[in-house]
Amino acid sequence: MIKEKTPDDVLLDKFVQVFSDARAYKEADMLQSMQVAGEFACGFDFAMVAFKDLGISPPVDLVHAMMDSVWFEKDSYADDIGHEFLRKSEASDAS
């Protein structure tokens, strides 16, 4: 039986694609493993920390979608770094 993808699966798929596009294959594989295990909150934290460490700016719409997820945890790494990405995006849009 094939498991139907949830919105959070689709979101993590998009994060995996961002890593793959940036040739961060190890991070893409690790995030995909977290997704398969259903560890969405951990996946969000891992993705945001890895994006920051690698200097990758995820698309703003993905950050917003992550923050709207039921698995998103306030005051987590994902929350702190996600807001940091959003602030940077707003500052560059205002320039």
Side-chain angles (χ1 to χ4, degrees):
M1 177 185 233
I2 297 175
K3 176 187 165 201
E4 191 170 320
K5 289 198 175 216
T6 67
D8 295 297
D9 285 313
V10 173
L11 179 57
L12 287 183
D13 281 342
K14 291 177 182 180
F15 281 136
V16 166
Q17 188 61 50
V18 172
F19 282 122
S20 294
D21 290 347
R23 298 181 182 205
Y25 301 116
K26 180 177 122 186
E27 288 79 3
D29 288 344
M30 290 177 68
L31 184 57
Q32 201 163 37
S33 294
M34 290 177 198
Q35 174 192 6
V36 169
E39 295 292 337
F40 299 111
C42 268
F44 294 149
D45 281 343
F46 171 79
M48 290 297 110
V49 170
F51 285 141
K52 184 176 179 178
D53 288 348
L54 296 171
I56 300 170
S57 294
V60 172
D61 61 323
L62 294 183
V63 175
H64 282 292
M66 174 192 70
M67 291 178 166
D68 290 339
S69 168
V70 296
W71 294 103
F72 180 72
E73 297 177 345
K74 296 286 184 191
D75 300 321
S76 64
Y77 290 118
D79 189 22
D80 293 341
I81 297 169
H83 278 96
E84 184 179 324
F85 281 131
L86 293 177
R87 281 191 300 276
K88 286 180 183 177
S89 174
E90 289 170 1
S92 67
D93 288 346
S95 301

Short mmCIF file of all heavy atoms in Angstrom, two decimals, residues 7-61:
data_model
loop_
_atom_site.label_atom_id
_atom_site.label_comp_id
_atom_site.label_asym_id
_atom_site.label_seq_id
_atom_site.Cartn_x
_atom_site.Cartn_y
_atom_site.Cartn_z
N PRO A 7 0.54 17.24 3.53
CA PRO A 7 1.13 18.54 3.19
C PRO A 7 2.55 18.70 3.74
O PRO A 7 3.40 19.32 3.11
CB PRO A 7 0.17 19.54 3.82
CG PRO A 7 -1.14 18.83 3.87
CD PRO A 7 -0.79 17.38 4.14
N ASP A 8 2.82 18.10 4.90
CA ASP A 8 4.17 18.21 5.47
C ASP A 8 5.17 17.37 4.69
O ASP A 8 6.33 17.76 4.55
CB ASP A 8 4.15 17.81 6.95
CG ASP A 8 3.31 18.80 7.76
OD1 ASP A 8 3.69 19.97 7.82
OD2 ASP A 8 2.28 18.39 8.30
N ASP A 9 4.74 16.23 4.17
CA ASP A 9 5.60 15.44 3.28
C ASP A 9 5.98 16.26 2.05
O ASP A 9 7.14 16.30 1.65
CB ASP A 9 4.90 14.15 2.82
CG ASP A 9 4.81 13.08 3.87
OD1 ASP A 9 5.82 12.79 4.54
OD2 ASP A 9 3.71 12.51 4.03
N VAL A 10 4.98 16.89 1.46
CA VAL A 10 5.21 17.70 0.26
C VAL A 10 6.16 18.85 0.58
O VAL A 10 7.09 19.15 -0.19
CB VAL A 10 3.88 18.21 -0.32
CG1 VAL A 10 4.11 19.19 -1.45
CG2 VAL A 10 3.02 17.04 -0.78
N LEU A 11 5.97 19.49 1.72
CA LEU A 11 6.83 20.59 2.13
C LEU A 11 8.27 20.11 2.30
O LEU A 11 9.21 20.75 1.80
CB LEU A 11 6.32 21.22 3.43
CG LEU A 11 7.13 22.37 4.01
CD1 LEU A 11 7.27 23.50 3.01
CD2 LEU A 11 6.47 22.86 5.29
N LEU A 12 8.46 19.00 3.00
CA LEU A 12 9.82 18.50 3.16
C LEU A 12 10.41 18.06 1.83
O LEU A 12 11.62 18.21 1.61
CB LEU A 12 9.87 17.38 4.20
CG LEU A 12 9.71 17.84 5.65
CD1 LEU A 12 9.84 16.68 6.61
CD2 LEU A 12 10.70 18.93 6.02
N ASP A 13 9.58 17.55 0.92
CA ASP A 13 10.06 17.25 -0.44
C ASP A 13 10.64 18.51 -1.09
O ASP A 13 11.68 18.45 -1.76
CB ASP A 13 8.94 16.73 -1.34
CG ASP A 13 8.60 15.27 -1.12
OD1 ASP A 13 9.42 14.53 -0.53
OD2 ASP A 13 7.50 14.86 -1.57
N LYS A 14 9.97 19.63 -0.90
CA LYS A 14 10.45 20.89 -1.48
C LYS A 14 11.76 21.33 -0.83
O LYS A 14 12.66 21.82 -1.51
CB LYS A 14 9.37 21.97 -1.35
CG LYS A 14 8.19 21.69 -2.24
CD LYS A 14 7.09 22.72 -2.07
CE LYS A 14 5.90 22.37 -2.97
NZ LYS A 14 4.81 23.34 -2.83
N PHE A 15 11.88 21.14 0.49
CA PHE A 15 13.15 21.46 1.15
C PHE A 15 14.27 20.55 0.65
O PHE A 15 15.39 21.00 0.42
CB PHE A 15 13.02 21.33 2.67
CG PHE A 15 12.35 22.50 3.34
CD1 PHE A 15 11.40 22.30 4.32
CD2 PHE A 15 12.69 23.80 3.03
CE1 PHE A 15 10.79 23.36 4.97
CE2 PHE A 15 12.08 24.88 3.66
CZ PHE A 15 11.13 24.66 4.64
N VAL A 16 13.96 19.27 0.47
CA VAL A 16 14.94 18.32 -0.08
C VAL A 16 15.39 18.81 -1.46
O VAL A 16 16.59 18.77 -1.78
CB VAL A 16 14.35 16.89 -0.15
CG1 VAL A 16 15.21 15.98 -1.01
CG2 VAL A 16 14.19 16.31 1.25
N GLN A 17 14.46 19.28 -2.27
CA GLN A 17 14.80 19.77 -3.60
C GLN A 17 15.72 20.99 -3.53
O GLN A 17 16.64 21.12 -4.34
CB GLN A 17 13.54 20.10 -4.40
CG GLN A 17 13.82 20.44 -5.84
CD GLN A 17 14.48 19.28 -6.58
OE1 GLN A 17 14.00 18.16 -6.54
NE2 GLN A 17 15.59 19.56 -7.26
N VAL A 18 15.49 21.88 -2.57
CA VAL A 18 16.36 23.05 -2.41
C VAL A 18 17.78 22.58 -2.08
O VAL A 18 18.76 23.08 -2.66
CB VAL A 18 15.82 24.01 -1.31
CG1 VAL A 18 16.83 25.11 -1.01
CG2 VAL A 18 14.48 24.60 -1.73
N PHE A 19 17.90 21.61 -1.19
CA PHE A 19 19.23 21.07 -0.89
C PHE A 19 19.85 20.44 -2.13
O PHE A 19 21.03 20.65 -2.42
CB PHE A 19 19.17 20.03 0.24
CG PHE A 19 19.06 20.62 1.61
CD1 PHE A 19 17.99 20.30 2.44
CD2 PHE A 19 20.01 21.50 2.11
CE1 PHE A 19 17.88 20.83 3.71
CE2 PHE A 19 19.92 22.04 3.38
CZ PHE A 19 18.85 21.70 4.18
N SER A 20 19.08 19.66 -2.86
CA SER A 20 19.60 19.00 -4.06
C SER A 20 20.04 20.03 -5.10
O SER A 20 21.10 19.86 -5.72
CB SER A 20 18.55 18.07 -4.66
OG SER A 20 18.28 17.00 -3.79
N ASP A 21 19.24 21.07 -5.28
CA ASP A 21 19.60 22.12 -6.24
C ASP A 21 20.91 22.81 -5.86
O ASP A 21 21.66 23.24 -6.73
CB ASP A 21 18.49 23.16 -6.36
CG ASP A 21 17.25 22.62 -7.05
OD1 ASP A 21 17.31 21.52 -7.66
OD2 ASP A 21 16.19 23.29 -6.95
N ALA A 22 21.16 22.89 -4.55
CA ALA A 22 22.39 23.51 -4.04
C ALA A 22 23.54 22.49 -3.94
O ALA A 22 24.60 22.82 -3.44
CB ALA A 22 22.14 24.15 -2.69
N ARG A 23 23.27 21.28 -4.42
CA ARG A 23 24.25 20.18 -4.38
C ARG A 23 24.65 19.79 -2.96
O ARG A 23 25.76 19.35 -2.70
CB ARG A 23 25.47 20.50 -5.23
CG ARG A 23 25.11 20.68 -6.68
CD ARG A 23 26.28 20.97 -7.53
NE ARG A 23 25.78 21.17 -8.90
CZ ARG A 23 26.49 20.99 -9.96
NH1 ARG A 23 27.74 20.62 -9.85
NH2 ARG A 23 25.98 21.20 -11.14
N ALA A 24 23.73 19.97 -2.04
CA ALA A 24 23.92 19.56 -0.65
C ALA A 24 23.23 18.20 -0.50
O ALA A 24 22.20 18.08 0.17
CB ALA A 24 23.36 20.60 0.30
N TYR A 25 23.80 17.20 -1.16
CA TYR A 25 23.14 15.90 -1.25
C TYR A 25 23.07 15.16 0.09
O TYR A 25 22.09 14.48 0.36
CB TYR A 25 23.85 15.03 -2.30
CG TYR A 25 23.85 15.67 -3.66
CD1 TYR A 25 25.03 16.05 -4.27
CD2 TYR A 25 22.65 15.94 -4.33
CE1 TYR A 25 25.03 16.66 -5.52
CE2 TYR A 25 22.64 16.54 -5.58
CZ TYR A 25 23.83 16.90 -6.17
OH TYR A 25 23.83 17.51 -7.40
N LYS A 26 24.09 15.32 0.90
CA LYS A 26 24.08 14.66 2.21
C LYS A 26 22.91 15.19 3.05
O LYS A 26 22.18 14.41 3.66
CB LYS A 26 25.41 14.92 2.94
CG LYS A 26 25.52 14.29 4.31
CD LYS A 26 26.90 14.53 4.89
CE LYS A 26 26.77 15.24 6.19
NZ LYS A 26 28.02 15.66 6.80
N GLU A 27 22.73 16.49 3.04
CA GLU A 27 21.65 17.10 3.79
C GLU A 27 20.29 16.70 3.22
O GLU A 27 19.34 16.44 3.96
CB GLU A 27 21.80 18.63 3.81
CG GLU A 27 22.92 19.13 4.68
CD GLU A 27 24.32 19.01 4.07
OE1 GLU A 27 24.45 18.57 2.90
OE2 GLU A 27 25.29 19.33 4.78
N ALA A 28 20.21 16.63 1.89
CA ALA A 28 18.97 16.19 1.24
C ALA A 28 18.61 14.78 1.67
O ALA A 28 17.46 14.49 2.00
CB ALA A 28 19.11 16.28 -0.28
N ASP A 29 19.60 13.89 1.69
CA ASP A 29 19.36 12.50 2.11
C ASP A 29 18.94 12.41 3.57
O ASP A 29 18.03 11.66 3.92
CB ASP A 29 20.61 11.64 1.89
CG ASP A 29 20.88 11.35 0.43
OD1 ASP A 29 19.98 11.55 -0.42
OD2 ASP A 29 22.02 10.94 0.12
N MET A 30 19.61 13.19 4.42
CA MET A 30 19.27 13.16 5.85
C MET A 30 17.85 13.66 6.08
O MET A 30 17.09 13.07 6.85
CB MET A 30 20.28 13.97 6.65
CG MET A 30 21.66 13.30 6.70
SD MET A 30 22.89 14.28 7.57
CE MET A 30 22.27 14.19 9.24
N LEU A 31 17.49 14.75 5.39
CA LEU A 31 16.15 15.30 5.55
C LEU A 31 15.10 14.33 5.02
O LEU A 31 14.05 14.14 5.64
CB LEU A 31 16.04 16.65 4.85
CG LEU A 31 14.71 17.38 5.01
CD1 LEU A 31 14.37 17.61 6.48
CD2 LEU A 31 14.74 18.70 4.26
N GLN A 32 15.41 13.68 3.93
CA GLN A 32 14.48 12.70 3.37
C GLN A 32 14.27 11.53 4.34
O GLN A 32 13.16 11.03 4.48
CB GLN A 32 14.99 12.21 2.03
CG GLN A 32 13.92 11.61 1.17
CD GLN A 32 14.37 11.51 -0.28
OE1 GLN A 32 15.53 11.24 -0.55
NE2 GLN A 32 13.45 11.75 -1.18
N SER A 33 15.33 11.13 5.04
CA SER A 33 15.20 10.06 6.03
C SER A 33 14.31 10.49 7.18
O SER A 33 13.50 9.71 7.68
CB SER A 33 16.58 9.67 6.57
OG SER A 33 17.35 9.08 5.56
N MET A 34 14.42 11.74 7.60
CA MET A 34 13.57 12.25 8.67
C MET A 34 12.11 12.28 8.21
O MET A 34 11.21 11.96 8.99
CB MET A 34 14.01 13.65 9.08
CG MET A 34 15.32 13.68 9.81
SD MET A 34 15.79 15.38 10.19
CE MET A 34 17.53 15.14 10.51
N GLN A 35 11.91 12.64 6.96
CA GLN A 35 10.56 12.68 6.40
C GLN A 35 9.94 11.28 6.39
O GLN A 35 8.81 11.11 6.83
CB GLN A 35 10.61 13.23 4.98
CG GLN A 35 9.29 13.19 4.27
CD GLN A 35 9.42 13.48 2.79
OE1 GLN A 35 10.51 13.61 2.27
NE2 GLN A 35 8.30 13.57 2.12
N VAL A 36 10.69 10.29 5.93
CA VAL A 36 10.19 8.91 5.88
C VAL A 36 9.82 8.43 7.28
O VAL A 36 8.83 7.74 7.47
CB VAL A 36 11.24 7.98 5.23
CG1 VAL A 36 10.87 6.53 5.40
CG2 VAL A 36 11.40 8.32 3.75
N ALA A 37 10.61 8.85 8.27
CA ALA A 37 10.36 8.46 9.66
C ALA A 37 9.21 9.25 10.28
O ALA A 37 8.80 8.97 11.41
CB ALA A 37 11.62 8.63 10.49
N GLY A 38 8.70 10.25 9.57
CA GLY A 38 7.61 11.06 10.11
C GLY A 38 8.07 12.07 11.15
O GLY A 38 7.26 12.57 11.93
N GLU A 39 9.33 12.40 11.13
CA GLU A 39 9.91 13.35 12.10
C GLU A 39 9.89 14.76 11.51
O GLU A 39 10.94 15.33 11.20
CB GLU A 39 11.34 12.92 12.46
CG GLU A 39 11.42 11.61 13.19
CD GLU A 39 10.83 11.67 14.58
OE1 GLU A 39 10.74 12.77 15.16
OE2 GLU A 39 10.44 10.60 15.09
N PHE A 40 8.70 15.30 11.35
CA PHE A 40 8.56 16.59 10.68
C PHE A 40 9.18 17.74 11.49
O PHE A 40 9.89 18.57 10.93
CB PHE A 40 7.10 16.88 10.37
CG PHE A 40 6.50 15.87 9.44
CD1 PHE A 40 5.53 14.99 9.91
CD2 PHE A 40 6.90 15.78 8.13
CE1 PHE A 40 4.98 14.04 9.06
CE2 PHE A 40 6.36 14.84 7.27
CZ PHE A 40 5.39 13.96 7.74
N ALA A 41 8.92 17.81 12.78
CA ALA A 41 9.47 18.89 13.60
C ALA A 41 10.99 18.84 13.58
O ALA A 41 11.65 19.87 13.43
CB ALA A 41 8.94 18.82 15.03
N CYS A 42 11.56 17.65 13.72
CA CYS A 42 13.02 17.49 13.64
C CYS A 42 13.51 17.88 12.26
O CYS A 42 14.57 18.50 12.12
CB CYS A 42 13.42 16.04 13.91
SG CYS A 42 13.78 15.69 15.60
N GLY A 43 12.77 17.50 11.24
CA GLY A 43 13.14 17.84 9.87
C GLY A 43 13.19 19.33 9.65
O GLY A 43 14.09 19.84 8.99
N PHE A 44 12.20 20.04 10.20
CA PHE A 44 12.20 21.50 10.06
C PHE A 44 13.42 22.10 10.75
O PHE A 44 14.08 22.99 10.19
CB PHE A 44 10.92 22.11 10.64
CG PHE A 44 9.67 21.74 9.91
CD1 PHE A 44 8.46 21.63 10.60
CD2 PHE A 44 9.65 21.49 8.55
CE1 PHE A 44 7.29 21.31 9.94
CE2 PHE A 44 8.47 21.16 7.87
CZ PHE A 44 7.29 21.08 8.58
N ASP A 45 13.71 21.65 11.97
CA ASP A 45 14.89 22.15 12.69
C ASP A 45 16.16 21.85 11.90
O ASP A 45 17.00 22.73 11.70
CB ASP A 45 15.00 21.52 14.08
CG ASP A 45 14.07 22.15 15.10
OD1 ASP A 45 13.57 23.26 14.86
OD2 ASP A 45 13.86 21.52 16.16
N PHE A 46 16.29 20.60 11.45
CA PHE A 46 17.48 20.21 10.70
C PHE A 46 17.63 21.07 9.44
O PHE A 46 18.72 21.58 9.15
CB PHE A 46 17.42 18.73 10.31
CG PHE A 46 18.52 18.34 9.36
CD1 PHE A 46 19.80 18.11 9.83
CD2 PHE A 46 18.27 18.25 8.00
CE1 PHE A 46 20.82 17.79 8.94
CE2 PHE A 46 19.28 17.93 7.12
CZ PHE A 46 20.56 17.69 7.59
N ALA A 47 16.54 21.23 8.70
CA ALA A 47 16.60 21.99 7.45
C ALA A 47 17.05 23.43 7.70
O ALA A 47 17.94 23.94 7.02
CB ALA A 47 15.25 21.97 6.75
N MET A 48 16.45 24.08 8.68
CA MET A 48 16.80 25.49 8.93
C MET A 48 18.25 25.64 9.39
O MET A 48 18.95 26.54 8.92
CB MET A 48 15.85 26.09 9.97
CG MET A 48 14.43 26.28 9.49
SD MET A 48 14.26 27.43 8.11
CE MET A 48 13.85 26.29 6.81
N VAL A 49 18.70 24.76 10.27
CA VAL A 49 20.10 24.82 10.73
C VAL A 49 21.05 24.57 9.55
O VAL A 49 22.04 25.29 9.37
CB VAL A 49 20.35 23.83 11.89
CG1 VAL A 49 21.84 23.72 12.19
CG2 VAL A 49 19.59 24.26 13.14
N ALA A 50 20.74 23.57 8.74
CA ALA A 50 21.60 23.25 7.61
C ALA A 50 21.60 24.39 6.58
O ALA A 50 22.66 24.73 6.05
CB ALA A 50 21.17 21.94 6.96
N PHE A 51 20.44 24.97 6.30
CA PHE A 51 20.39 26.10 5.37
C PHE A 51 21.30 27.22 5.87
O PHE A 51 22.08 27.79 5.11
CB PHE A 51 18.97 26.64 5.21
CG PHE A 51 18.06 25.79 4.36
CD1 PHE A 51 16.73 25.63 4.72
CD2 PHE A 51 18.50 25.18 3.21
CE1 PHE A 51 15.87 24.87 3.94
CE2 PHE A 51 17.65 24.41 2.41
CZ PHE A 51 16.33 24.26 2.79
N LYS A 52 21.16 27.54 7.15
CA LYS A 52 21.97 28.61 7.73
C LYS A 52 23.45 28.27 7.65
O LYS A 52 24.26 29.10 7.21
CB LYS A 52 21.55 28.87 9.17
CG LYS A 52 22.28 30.03 9.80
CD LYS A 52 21.78 30.33 11.20
CE LYS A 52 22.56 31.48 11.78
NZ LYS A 52 22.08 31.83 13.11
N ASP A 53 23.83 27.06 8.05
CA ASP A 53 25.24 26.66 8.04
C ASP A 53 25.83 26.67 6.64
O ASP A 53 27.01 26.99 6.46
CB ASP A 53 25.42 25.27 8.65
CG ASP A 53 25.23 25.26 10.17
OD1 ASP A 53 25.18 26.35 10.79
OD2 ASP A 53 25.12 24.15 10.73
N LEU A 54 25.02 26.30 5.64
CA LEU A 54 25.51 26.22 4.26
C LEU A 54 25.35 27.54 3.50
O LEU A 54 25.78 27.64 2.35
CB LEU A 54 24.77 25.11 3.51
CG LEU A 54 25.00 23.69 4.04
CD1 LEU A 54 24.05 22.71 3.36
CD2 LEU A 54 26.45 23.27 3.82
N GLY A 55 24.71 28.52 4.12
CA GLY A 55 24.51 29.81 3.46
C GLY A 55 23.46 29.75 2.36
O GLY A 55 23.50 30.52 1.41
N ILE A 56 22.52 28.84 2.50
CA ILE A 56 21.43 28.69 1.53
C ILE A 56 20.20 29.42 2.07
O ILE A 56 19.80 29.20 3.20
CB ILE A 56 21.08 27.20 1.32
CG1 ILE A 56 22.29 26.43 0.79
CG2 ILE A 56 19.89 27.06 0.39
CD1 ILE A 56 22.09 24.92 0.79
N SER A 57 19.64 30.28 1.24
CA SER A 57 18.40 30.96 1.63
C SER A 57 17.22 30.23 1.01
O SER A 57 17.06 30.26 -0.21
CB SER A 57 18.41 32.42 1.16
OG SER A 57 19.41 33.14 1.84
N PRO A 58 16.40 29.58 1.82
CA PRO A 58 15.24 28.88 1.27
C PRO A 58 14.22 29.89 0.77
O PRO A 58 14.17 31.04 1.24
CB PRO A 58 14.70 28.09 2.46
CG PRO A 58 15.14 28.86 3.65
CD PRO A 58 16.46 29.49 3.28
N PRO A 59 13.38 29.50 -0.18
CA PRO A 59 12.33 30.40 -0.65
C PRO A 59 11.41 30.81 0.51
O PRO A 59 11.07 30.00 1.37
CB PRO A 59 11.57 29.55 -1.67
CG PRO A 59 12.55 28.52 -2.13
CD PRO A 59 13.40 28.24 -0.92
N VAL A 60 11.05 32.07 0.51
CA VAL A 60 10.23 32.63 1.58
C VAL A 60 8.90 31.90 1.71
O VAL A 60 8.43 31.66 2.82
CB VAL A 60 10.01 34.15 1.34
CG1 VAL A 60 9.01 34.73 2.32
CG2 VAL A 60 11.33 34.89 1.44
N ASP A 61 8.31 31.51 0.58
CA ASP A 61 7.02 30.82 0.66
C ASP A 61 7.14 29.47 1.38
O ASP A 61 6.23 29.06 2.09
CB ASP A 61 6.39 30.64 -0.71
CG ASP A 61 7.23 29.82 -1.68
OD1 ASP A 61 8.47 29.93 -1.66
OD2 ASP A 61 6.62 29.06 -2.47
#
